[in-house]
């Protein structure tokens, strides 16, 4: 007896959402007194030593302009408590207004590159030095960078590991599913040796 499949085709424009529900990140940038913050759903590590990452940032954005000018950016991992803020800064351009001022975002300067970093309500941050890649960047809107410093809230990340508990729920990572819908990481479980 055959059962009808519950599977249906997925529009290719949504195919990446099937595999990319890694943490939403906030990208900060600054140059000559101007600064910006935006949300990005697509970031990933690409090398351990030295630590390098890739992040997709559309070439038309104000953030890309500031990164090209400064050669650096911050990659911030917001906690669940920052869901509304993350959506807000990801939904508007900072070209004509300072989103830090508009949303009263408290930022400090990273210790190596001086990029804006956020800690309040966030799980971690990375300071990144842009590694220009020419054609790849232009074709795929993907920027590569070397991580030159990083810090994390020890309540959720310590000794190189995430630890999601009920006590640190506000710091659990956000995972954007599209259209302002997020999943919050949690329900951590430990695998058994078999």
């Amino acid at each position: 007896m055959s059962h009808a499949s519950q599977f249906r085709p997925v529009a290719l424009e949504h195919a990446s959402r099937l595999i990319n529900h890694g943490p939403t990140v906030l990208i900060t940038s600054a140059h000559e007194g101007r600064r910006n913050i935006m949300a990005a759903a697509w970031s990933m590590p690409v090398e351990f030593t030295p630590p390098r990452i890739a992040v997709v940032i559309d070439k038309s954005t104000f953030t890309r302009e500031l990164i090209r000018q400064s050669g650096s950016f911050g990659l911030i991992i917001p906690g669940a408590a920052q869901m509304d803020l993350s959506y807000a800064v990801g939904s508007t351009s900072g070209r004509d207004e300072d989103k830090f001022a508009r949303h009263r975002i408290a930022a400090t300067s990273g210790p190596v590159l001086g990029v804006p970093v956020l800690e309040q309500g966030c799980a971690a941050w990375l300071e990144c030095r842009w590694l220009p890649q020419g054609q790849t960047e232009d074709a795929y809107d993907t920027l590569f960078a070397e991580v030159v410093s990083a810090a994390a809230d020890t309540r959720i990340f310590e000794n190189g590991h995430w630890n999601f508990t009920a006590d640190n729920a506000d710091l659990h990572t956000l995972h954007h599913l599209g259209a302002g819908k997020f999943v919050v990481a949690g329900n951590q479980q430990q695998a058994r040796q078999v």
Side-chain angles (χ1 to χ4, degrees), residues 108-165:
T108 58
S109 294
V112 176
L113 303 173
V115 299
V117 296
L118 284 57
E119 292 187 350
Q120 184 177 348
C122 295
W125 55 257
L126 299 85
E127 265 192 303
C128 303
R129 180 178 290 118
W130 175 42
L131 302 170
Q133 298 298 313
Q135 274 187 302
T136 302
E137 270 172 39
D138 294 341
Y140 302 106
D141 286 337
T142 301
L143 297 184
F144 293 85
E146 183 172 339
V147 179
V148 297
S149 73
D153 190 315
T154 57
R155 292 174 292 176
I156 193 160
F157 189 91
E158 193 168 24
N159 299 321
H161 296 284
W162 289 100
N163 189 28
F164 294 87
T165 67

